[in-house]
Amino acid sequence: MAEIRSCIDFLITQKCNYRCEYCSQSKKFYKNTKAASDETIEAFLNFIKKLDKTFEITVSGGEPLTHPRFFDVITEIKNQNLKLTVISNFSFPIKSYKKIVDIMGENLTELFVSYHGSQVENFEEFKNKAKEFNALKPTNTKFTVASVLSDENVDNLKELSVFLKENNINFSLQHMRIKNSYVEYKKEAKEFLAQNALPEPGRISNSFGKMCHSGEKFLLIYENGDAYRCYSSRFNKAHSMGNIKNKNFKLFNAPMPCMNLRCTCPKPISYNMLDFKHSNYPKAAALLIKNALYLPSLIIKNADILKAKIEQASNLNKKDT
């Protein structure tokens, strides 16, 4: 098995200054957006002080730079000599991204930004800012521009991909998903996707019952402090790791079987946490049965998220008809 990259993802806020039509975190679809409180921030900073230095930290949102303590958080990450990835919509002035570089230096593993054509007022300014950041970042820092493909924006993204390639900037083309289902594109967009993006590993590999180190080597922390084994865990009691503000929070001490037919979380496969050679199907099945008892309460707890996804799908479906 390849070496595992240990990682903590901290969604410091659900707030975003963009209103992308395909994003369930837009106020149009998700009205209860919240940001991490000072109590959550302090609990997170205390937690990372105890981490093994092999762990990487990813700070995202929402839009993480909207949080008033974003720079406090990354300063402490640097003080602990941990590596950092920031996921941003790249809407802030270039001086904000330069400040990230100034704080983190060589500890900045990656700036992963997104391009949303419906939200960007000036395409040329976006390209110039990307080029400027690429010139000022440390040599070992990866810089990636991602964009969600649609039938409407395919020509715009073709132009963007050429520009990024010419300037040695990574381009990540993303297949639009609605309620965890991938949309079907028309011919031009489908061909562009095939030429610029490999199928996500989790879509082609059955992960149910396979042993996974998420929860032990990876966890996701939401803005309220709730911690989960992976991104597909909000409706899975067995994947809950408690809340970082409470005594019930702890990392798993061993791998556990995956309880999904397909891995929809971006980290386990790409960070080598999913072990396809070892499995425990009986335990996975037992956990599924146990989890069924908690499902009604989990649905009630996450009702706003479910409602957001349903409204998002409804609006996008109306747009297509």
Side-chain angles (χ1 to χ4, degrees), residues 162-175:
V162 171
F163 168 81
L164 295 175
K165 185 176 181 180
E166 290 174 346
N167 287 276
N168 297 312
I169 300 171
N170 300 298
F171 177 54
S172 176
L173 187 65
Q174 300 177 337
H175 196 158

Side-chain angles (χ1 to χ4, degrees), residues 6-7 59 101 133 139 153 155 162 210 216 221 264 276-277 286 310-311 315:
S6 302
C7 183
V59 179
V101 171
F133 179 81
T139 304
N153 70 8
D155 289 334
V162 171
K210 305 300 182 184
E216 177 194 13
I221 302 173
T264 58
F276 288 101
K277 293 182 179 180
I310 292 170
E311 291 181 0
N315 279 278

Side-chain angles (χ1 to χ4, degrees), residues 24 30 179-180 220 222 226-241 259-260 264 284 287-310:
S24 63
Y30 186 16
K179 295 199 300 182
N180 291 330
L220 168 67
Y222 283 97
D226 284 346
Y228 294 91
R229 182 185 182 191
C230 65
Y231 280 88
S232 58
S233 294
R234 270 189 162 175
F235 296 94
N236 195 319
K237 182 67 174 179
H239 286 186
S240 173
M241 303 173 68
M259 296 164 64
N260 302 309
T264 58
L287 289 172
L288 275 181
I289 294 171
K290 180 181 178 181
N291 189 63
L293 300 174
Y294 291 93
L295 194 57
S297 62
L298 293 173
I299 290 174
I300 293 171
K301 180 180 179 180
N302 295 289
D304 56 340
I305 298 168
L306 283 173
K307 182 180 178 182
K309 289 182 177 294
I310 292 170

Side-chain angles (χ1 to χ4, degrees), residues 21 45 48 76 81 115 118 161 192-193 227 231 233 271 285-286 316:
E21 63 275 13
L45 297 182
I48 66 172
E76 185 57 35
N81 197 28
Y115 169 75
S118 63
S161 67
F192 184 57
L193 181 72
Y231 280 88
S233 294
Y271 279 42
L316 287 172

